């Protein structure tokens, strides 16, 4: 019975995939799997997630409608937390091996690395709806985001080891105060620097250009970036990216 339901669902999904041809590699919609070689959303969407995490699917704008349920199940179920835990534990194991100095810092991104926007995306189609910067900014300005639990564990362990944390966020400087009170509210109490995006300097610049430029400034000030963690590839590539980088899962959007 279960298999039958899956097959019906997969048949419907095929239509949806076809509608998203420009955002979604063709081969996935052409793959058949399972009993009698039918289409499976579960299989295709898992592959999509894999490609996204490896950064081999890039510059996509929205999640295909057929994968909405998959993305919701992933984020609301155990897998998201487990994947995040694997990455955060690895970051901690690495940090423990360091003979660090007072100038060593670990860079943390904020959105969907430190603070979760899951409440927002749950109300906006889990990445299927086109991004609405106005609505997103309103949500951020509430300052009500939860901490991502595995990141909070990592953060506390790093602070316990004596490693300094630097936050670098795409959030604009006018949302700095609300972001800081949100961070404190959910358990992030200390940091060496909090760097938000100054539109006067970075207007029209890509996320990666902003982050790279700010990291270079840190290094010029004498800091050593021993580690860097983010949910977007733009957080963790480019000059002075850090001695080791850690990629948290995010199937919702591509920056
Ligand atoms: C595919 O992913 C690998 C691993 O993340 C990366 O090194 C490579 O540059 C990616 N290729 C393309 C074309 O994006
Ligand atoms: C974006 O969000 C704002 C604020 O909620 C809303 O007024 C506007 O209609 C939305 N734009 C689109 C294109 O949905």
């Amino acid at each position: 019975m279960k298999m039958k339901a899956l097959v019906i669902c997969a048949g419907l999904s095929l239509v949806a995939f076809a509608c998203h041809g420009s955002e979604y590699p063709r081969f996935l919609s052409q793959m058949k799997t399972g009993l009698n070689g039918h289409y499976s959303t579960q299989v295709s969407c898992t592959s999509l997630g894999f490609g996204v995490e490896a950064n081999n699917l890039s510059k996509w704008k929205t999640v295909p409608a057929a994968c909405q349920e998959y993305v919701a199940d992933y984020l609301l179920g155990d897998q998201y937390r487990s994947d995040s835990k694997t990455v955060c534990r690895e970051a901690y194991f690495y940090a423990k091996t360091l003979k660090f100095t007072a100038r060593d810092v670990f860079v943390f991104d904020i959105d969907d690395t430190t603070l979760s926007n899951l409440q927002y995306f749950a109300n906006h189609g889990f990445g299927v709806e086109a991004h609405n910067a106005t609505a997103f900014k309103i949500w951020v300005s509430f300052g009500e985001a939860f901490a991502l639990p595995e990141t909070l564990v990592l953060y506390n362990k790093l602070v316990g080891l004596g490693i300094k944390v630097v936050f670098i966020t795409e959030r604009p400087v006018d949302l700095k105060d609300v972001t800081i009170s949100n961070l404190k509210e959910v358990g992030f109490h200390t940091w060496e620097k909090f760097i938000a995006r100054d539109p006067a300097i970075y207007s029209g610049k890509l996320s990666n250009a902003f982050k790279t430029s700010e990291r270079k400034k840190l290094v010029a000030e004498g800091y050593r970036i021993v580690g860097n963690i983010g949910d977007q590839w733009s957080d963790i590539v480019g000059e002075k990216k850090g001695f080791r980088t850690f990629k948290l899962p995010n199937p919702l959007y591509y920056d």
Side-chain angles (χ1 to χ4, degrees):
M1 274 330 262
K2 202 173 170 197
M3 184 60 72
K4 209 173 199 174
L6 193 68
V7 167
I8 293 166
C9 154
L12 291 172
S13 76
L14 185 62
V15 180
F17 279 142
C19 303
H20 287 261
S22 60
E23 298 150 19
Y24 198 61
R26 279 177 69 87
F27 83 92
L28 285 175
S29 62
Q30 291 162 352
M31 271 193 345
K32 290 186 176 185
T33 182
L35 189 64
N36 302 326
H38 289 288
Y39 296 99
S40 160
T41 344
Q42 176 71 26
V43 168
S44 300
C45 297
T46 304
S47 302
L48 177 75
F50 180 80
V52 164
E53 295 310 337
N55 204 23
N56 284 149
L57 294 187
S58 58
K59 297 180 187 133
W60 48 278
K61 292 205 164 50
T62 51
V63 171
C67 291
Q68 183 178 47
E69 202 176 321
Y70 167 82
V71 168
D73 285 351
Y74 173 79
L75 292 168
L76 300 172
D78 293 335
Q79 197 66 53
Y80 179 39
R81 177 115 186 225
S82 174
D83 292 350
S84 303
K85 183 172 186 167
T86 303
V87 175
C88 288
R89 278 176 49 152
E90 193 60 26
Y92 171 61
F93 293 153
Y94 158 68
K96 261 201 322 191
T97 67
L98 294 172
K99 289 190 186 65
F100 53 89
T101 71
R103 300 303 278 170
D104 286 350
V105 295
F106 212 105
V107 172
F108 279 63
D109 165 57
I110 291 191
D111 283 301
D112 299 302
T113 295
T114 305
L115 297 176
S116 173
N117 294 308
L118 196 48
Q119 292 170 86
Y120 173 85
F121 286 101
N123 290 322
H124 289 84
F126 286 101
V128 171
E129 285 176 25
H131 185 64
N132 182 332
T134 312
F136 187 72
K137 192 166 180 180
I138 293 169
W139 148 253
V140 167
S141 71
F142 294 153
E144 287 175 356
F146 297 131
L148 278 157
E150 299 302 334
T151 308
L152 183 56
V153 170
L154 171 64
Y155 166 87
N156 281 326
K157 285 184 168 171
L158 295 185
V159 170
L161 289 174
I163 299 181
K164 295 182 171 113
V165 166
V166 169
F167 288 113
I168 305 184
T169 178
E170 272 286 289
R171 292 186 175 193
V173 282
D174 61 321
L175 293 171
K176 182 172 176 172
D177 290 350
V178 73
T179 301
I180 285 178
S181 63
N182 194 159
L183 284 171
K184 288 188 170 163
E185 181 87 9
V186 299
F188 298 90
H189 296 289
T190 174
W191 47 83
E192 179 75 0
K193 272 176 186 282
F194 179 102
I195 301 167
R197 183 177 173 122
D198 184 350
I201 307 175
Y202 296 110
S203 166
K205 291 272 191 340
L206 291 176
S207 171
N208 181 243
F210 154 67
K211 296 216 162 184
T212 300
S213 162
E214 289 299 331
R215 289 194 310 266
K216 283 165 79 176
K217 280 192 211 168
L218 280 175
V219 172
E221 287 166 23
Y223 291 106
R224 263 192 352 164
I225 301 171
V226 292
N228 180 1
I229 186 164
D231 66 298
Q232 296 292 316
W233 278 86
S234 58
D235 298 328
I236 54 169
V237 293
E239 276 179 79
K240 311 294 177 200
K241 64 179 189 285
F243 297 160
R244 269 194 73 178
T245 58
F246 298 90
K247 170 71 174 71
L248 288 169
N250 187 350
L252 285 165
Y253 55 88
Y254 184 89
D255 196 351

